[in-house]
Amino acid sequence: MSLLTHLLVCLFGMGSWVSINGLWVELPLIVPQIPEGWYLPSYLSVIIQMANVGPLFVTLMHHFRPGTLNETAVIYVIISLGTASSFLLGFFWNETVVVAGVPRSVALLVLTLFLAAVDCTSSVTFLPFMMRLRPQYLTTYYIGEGVSGLLPALVALIQGVGVVQCINSTQSLNHTLNSSNSSLTFDLQAQYQPANFSVEVFFFFLSAMMLVCLLAFLLLNYHPAVAREHPSSQYTSRVKEKSQKDRKWVEQKPMMDPYRPENQKRRSSFGTGAYSWMQVFYIFAILAWANAVTNAVLPSVQSYSCMPYGANAYHLSATMAAVSNPLACFIAQFLPVRSLLLMAALTVIGTGVGAYVMGMAVLSPCPLLVNDTSGGVIIVLAWIVFVLTLSYVKVMIGVILRDEGHAALVWCGAVVQLGSLLGAVTMFPVVSVYSFFSSGDPCNTKCP
């Protein structure tokens, strides 16, 4: 395999969600300077779900008019749109327009809609494009997709986003003009430190990352070294021979994989027919669930689950969770286990750990072990295990569906977006409308 192709595929995958991920990590610096304030995350959640009209259109076109949509042209358009929108945000993110007598950040919201449309549509275009390369590169693509969340988080960390310093504040009680004595109480107050560089520079960085993605896609289409990595007849015959050997082994281990023997009839009309419709439903159900909880449900309560343990626990959990995603993809590159049984086990483990995280968010601002150092260590480890296990599951499902053909990868992207949509729709009223969760103070923990 070509190292250049691996690098280009990674950079290509990086452009899938780098813009929206970057926007989320920059919120602590954006929110104080716009009229929407901390209602902005709620608006962003709605806007991102509105942008799912993009993948819906692509999926329906593939289903009802197969071959009509030029996939390569669509990718060029959405990457170019993402590059331009990120660049324009650097100039207009804090510009306001009076709407119905109230100032609104119209430019920010409209450009965010464009970015969300780009990233959501990438799920049903980038993945099917990977059918043009050998299967081994699909895992590299997922590594790049993980980097799309890690890289903005690291840059924001360097920028100093959300860094809190606890300072002493003195309050005077029962103070009178005729008395020289006063009752003083001392408390710690959270003070956010100024950033090392501006929001504008950060958005220009995101635009540069999208431009890198565009250049990587150009080279994937036209570089001669990449052309040699397209599946050839010789390569296909080797893969088929190896697959037959694997299937003979699997026949002896029926719980490991549902590959059908060579002389067995197709189990369904889905893809190669290796999976029954019940197994296909099972795979897509796990895919939808994994994306719902990792992309929407748990991220919406991350601050509630971590902030009571302190600002360091919150930032460490966010950073390590971002690292865990590409790490899981890297592990999958060398341990591509396709066992449906293992997939179920990892999903149960990840969901169980996620339930602990959700429980701590519900108990905020006084979760378990809030006054103990071990509480912060456990919540950070919980986030790492949660992201690591379910990210591995998502990669393995992508690898399985890649073998089932182009249409299977289109549906893979559609289910990814559907799961994320259901998770966001579920959590939006709970978090933003009914305010079910209570924030913890990173400097003052007043719990028994």
Side-chain angles (χ1 to χ4, degrees), residues 1 5-7 9-11 13-14 127 130-131 133-147 325-338 391-400 402-403 409:
M1 291 185 293
T5 306
H6 274 295
L7 176 61
V9 169
C10 185
L11 294 176
M14 180 194 65
L127 271 175
M130 293 306 299
M131 284 294 297
L133 300 174
R134 298 181 181 183
Q136 290 89 336
Y137 292 107
L138 183 62
T139 307
T140 304
Y141 168 82
Y142 276 110
I143 293 176
E145 195 175 76
V147 172
N325 193 328
L327 177 60
C329 302
F330 186 76
I331 293 172
Q333 180 78 36
F334 300 97
L335 295 174
V337 182
R338 306 186 187 194
S391 294
Y392 184 88
V393 168
K394 290 190 289 184
V395 174
M396 284 301 95
I397 292 177
V399 171
I400 289 173
R402 195 267 178 213
D403 290 343
L409 283 182

Side-chain angles (χ1 to χ4, degrees), residues 237-312:
S237 64
R238 291 200 305 268
V239 171
K240 185 176 181 181
E241 181 181 354
K242 183 179 183 302
S243 178
Q244 290 174 353
K245 292 180 180 179
D246 290 343
R247 291 182 181 187
K248 289 180 181 179
W249 180 80
V250 167
E251 290 176 43
Q252 303 171 3
K253 303 283 186 182
M255 291 301 291
M256 290 297 293
D257 229 337
Y259 282 134
R260 59 187 173 95
E262 187 178 4
N263 58 352
Q264 185 177 324
K265 294 181 179 179
R266 290 170 59 93
R267 305 179 68 179
S268 70
S269 58
F270 180 80
T272 63
Y275 297 89
S276 67
W277 280 115
M278 183 63 69
Q279 290 169 331
V280 171
F281 176 79
Y282 162 80
I283 291 171
F284 279 125
I286 287 185
L287 181 64
W289 172 256
N291 280 279
V293 295
T294 57
N295 297 346
V297 176
L298 268 298
S300 65
V301 299
Q302 185 168 24
S303 60
Y304 299 105
S305 67
C306 299
M307 196 61 80
Y309 297 103
N312 289 334

Side-chain angles (χ1 to χ4, degrees), residues 12 85 163 175 221 225 247 259 287 316 399 410 431:
F12 173 59
S85 299
V163 176
H175 182 71
N221 280 291
R247 291 182 181 187
Y259 282 134
L287 181 64
L316 189 59
V399 171
V410 173
V431 176

Side-chain angles (χ1 to χ4, degrees), residues 408-424:
L409 283 182
V410 173
W411 283 108
C412 176
V415 172
V416 166
Q417 290 306 119
L418 176 63
S420 302
L421 170 63
L422 293 176

Side-chain angles (χ1 to χ4, degrees), residues 12 58-59 61-62 65-79 121-133 217 221 405-411:
F12 173 59
V58 172
T59 304
M61 285 293 291
H62 277 294
R65 300 290 298 274
T68 303
L69 202 63
N70 188 331
E71 198 170 75
T72 303
V74 173
I75 294 176
Y76 277 124
V77 170
I78 63 175
I79 298 179
T121 308
S122 72
S123 296
V124 292
T125 52
F126 285 22
L127 271 175
F129 172 80
M130 293 306 299
M131 284 294 297
R132 304 185 184 187
L133 300 174
F217 184 63
N221 280 291
H406 181 277
L409 283 182
V410 173
W411 283 108

Side-chain angles (χ1 to χ4, degrees), residues 45-64:
S45 299
V46 174
I47 288 172
I48 292 172
Q49 303 319 313
M50 289 171 57
N52 278 303
V53 67
L56 177 62
F57 171 76
V58 172
T59 304
L60 293 177
M61 285 293 291
H62 277 294
H63 184 71
F64 293 106

